[in-house]
Amino acid sequence: MSVLRIYGNLLEPALHCRWALFNAGAEAMLGDGQLADLPKHAERCQLLLPAAQVLLMRARIPHGAKRHASSLLAFALEEQTASEPDTNHVSYLGAVGDEDVLAVIDKRGLATWLAALSAVGVVVDEVHCETLLLNRNVGEWSLQWNGSEGMVRTGEFEGAATDMGDRDSPPMLLGLLLDEAKTQNALPSSIALYVNAPEAVPDLQVWQAKLGVDLRNAGVWNSGLAVSETTVNLVRPPRRWRALSGLTTRLRPALWIVGATLLLHTVALLSDWALLASQQRSIRQQMVTQFRQTFPDAVAVADPVLQMRRKLSDARHAAGQPDSSDFLPMIERVGAVMQTLPLGSVRAVAYESGRMTLELLPQEVETGHAIEARLRERGLKVESPATVGTQRVVIVSAP
């Protein structure tokens, strides 16, 4: 199987990178250049992140939350990371004793790199931290050193990037980690020292005296060329279906047709909407004009239909004629409907300002719907039927 490993720095723009291509039975091919020039034929693609950009930390997570989404795990670490949960991608790695180990990655930087690689046709299958690629023996720690800084792996899922040091001074972080391990009775038997070049090897005797732990020179190590089948995948990107590769190209003519059809329908819909809106404004303006001609003393016209109905009602009352919203006309139409109900079904009738409230005994759904339909047939408006306690309330009014 061919594996493409891409070394991505989340703090830098996703424009170029170092990479290595592994082919079974062949020497690894190394490269450094633009993302667009990456090999496209690899069967598996790995994104390798620097040790300093992946925070490996312990926490106590409820058992049911360990397999949950990254956003939920990020909220569980909000206090420890002292950052907004939405800015972190958090992955569950495994358990160490009674505690859990989680990996914290900058979400925006990771998303930028994944999107940039996808844009050039490279789909990432796995995301790894170079700390967990470092070789490690049971009971031993591993330190990678370039002469001034490096990274240390202290367990199956644990490690960190170190601070600065030199030939005669080990990094301070390494000493702090050893002090913490001593308090927990978990000191390593020794520390395997890997360097990126032979000249980067420090004075092991001086370091051993300052750290209080044996160090052994384990040789040259390069994270880009390291082969490890046990390292943990920090992110599980969407699965890519190779059987569907090229499907977009084959369907491109059909997609163009569908897009053009949707565009035409959208233009037609917007045209109809604009025409109807124009007609609505024209009709409303005609109603306002007619209302002002009929009632020139009106100060403002907010709702010409409602105001015309009220003016008509006032005119009828002034002429001694009843209006459809008066009590007698409404009770006559309501009574014609309610007379089909059993005796005692109507508990109370209230009337105020053209609205009549009826309190009925609860009826079956079909009966209630039939009553509402007959009220509407009589020219009444039925509003929000509801049940209050053991009573069914129906509010009717003139249209």
Side-chain angles (χ1 to χ4, degrees):
M1 174 181 288
S2 60
V3 179
L4 174 64
R5 179 174 296 164
I6 301 168
Y7 191 90
N9 188 336
L10 302 186
L11 301 180
E12 297 179 356
L15 300 176
H16 64 275
C17 66
R18 292 186 287 117
W19 56 269
L21 180 62
F22 302 89
N23 287 294
E27 186 177 353
M29 181 185 303
L30 305 180
D32 188 346
Q34 300 295 319
L35 298 189
D37 299 329
L38 286 169
K40 305 296 193 303
H41 59 274
E43 297 175 89
R44 199 171 78 205
C45 178
Q46 300 175 345
L47 178 62
L48 183 62
L49 302 181
Q53 296 175 17
V54 181
L55 177 61
L56 304 174
M57 59 190 308
R58 292 191 184 188
R60 292 184 181 272
I61 304 297
H63 180 73
K66 295 177 183 179
R67 302 301 179 186
H68 282 189
S70 167
S71 56
L72 296 180
L73 294 175
F75 276 100
L77 295 180
E78 182 176 6
E79 293 185 1
Q80 293 174 260
T81 58
S83 61
E84 292 295 330
D86 291 342
T87 64
N88 296 325
H89 178 96
V90 181
S91 302
Y92 173 78
L93 303 186
V96 177
D98 296 333
E99 295 181 301
D100 303 297
V101 182
L102 304 174
V104 183
I105 310 171
D106 177 63
K107 181 185 291 187
R108 178 176 297 180
L110 177 63
T112 299
W113 271 85
L114 293 178
L117 290 171
S118 178
V120 297
V122 177
V123 180
V124 175
D125 298 294
E126 305 167 7
V127 178
H128 297 295
C129 171
E130 65 173 347
T131 308
L132 300 183
L133 284 180
L134 196 57
N135 297 328
R136 184 187 70 91
N137 297 323
V138 177
E140 186 180 59
W141 288 7
S142 298
L143 174 67
Q144 189 274 335
W145 190 249
N146 64 7
S148 59
E149 59 183 359
M151 59 184 176
V152 58
R153 184 176 183 182
T154 60
E156 182 180 1
F157 307 115
E158 295 179 284
T162 69
D163 52 342
M164 303 293 288
D166 54 38
R167 177 177 174 78
D168 299 320
S169 301
M172 183 180 298
L173 176 67
L174 186 59
L176 295 175
L177 291 176
L178 288 170
D179 291 341
E180 182 181 357
K182 185 176 182 180
T183 61
Q184 299 175 359
N185 196 25
L187 277 174
S189 59
S190 61
I191 298 177
L193 177 66
Y194 296 88
V195 292
N196 64 338
E199 58 271 18
V201 178
D203 190 327
L204 296 184
Q205 297 297 327
V206 174
W207 276 34
Q208 285 180 168
K210 292 184 177 181
L211 296 174
V213 176
D214 292 337
L215 280 85
R216 66 178 183 87
N217 189 346
V220 177
W221 184 86
N222 186 333
S223 61
L225 298 177
V227 178
S228 175
E229 298 296 335
T230 60
T231 187
V232 180
N233 184 10
L234 304 183
V235 180
R236 289 170 175 79
R239 186 179 177 183
R240 56 171 166 178
W241 302 91
R242 298 186 183 275
L244 299 180
S245 60
L247 182 61
T248 303
T249 303
R250 296 195 298 271
L251 293 179
R252 186 172 297 169
L255 293 175
W256 274 108
I257 295 174
V258 171
T261 304
L262 291 176
L263 179 61
L264 290 176
H265 278 285
T266 301
V267 171
L269 181 62
L270 291 176
S271 300
D272 288 343
W273 177 84
L275 178 61
L276 292 174
S278 177
Q279 293 176 350
Q280 182 185 30
R281 289 192 297 269
S282 177
I283 293 173
R284 177 179 173 81
Q285 185 59 42
Q286 293 175 13
M287 290 190 294
V288 171
T289 302
Q290 184 176 358
F291 180 81
R292 288 192 177 278
Q293 291 175 351
T294 307
F295 303 99
D297 297 334
V299 178
V301 183
D303 189 339
V305 177
L306 178 60
Q307 290 176 252
M308 181 69 79
R309 184 180 294 123
R310 290 176 177 174
K311 290 289 187 180
L312 180 60
S313 177
D314 293 341
R316 285 174 177 170
H317 291 158
Q321 297 180 5
D323 186 70
S324 61
S325 62
D326 291 342
F327 176 75
L328 289 178
M330 286 187 64
I331 196 64
E332 181 180 357
R333 284 185 284 183
V334 171
V337 174
M338 296 303 172
Q339 66 182 358
T340 61
L341 297 178
L343 187 63
S345 296
V346 182
R347 301 295 301 274
V349 178
Y351 174 84
E352 182 180 1
S353 301
R355 292 165 58 91
M356 184 172 291
T357 302
L358 308 174
E359 292 186 6
L360 312 175
L361 288 176
Q363 304 292 324
E364 296 181 358
V365 175
E366 293 78 5
T367 305
H369 290 169
I371 292 173
E372 297 170 21
R374 287 199 292 270
L375 287 171
R376 293 189 180 95
E377 290 174 0
R378 289 284 178 172
L380 296 171
K381 181 180 178 182
V382 181
E383 301 179 10
S384 303
T387 301
V388 179
T390 60
Q391 309 299 320
R392 181 182 180 87
V393 178
V394 178
I395 302 174
V396 296
S397 59

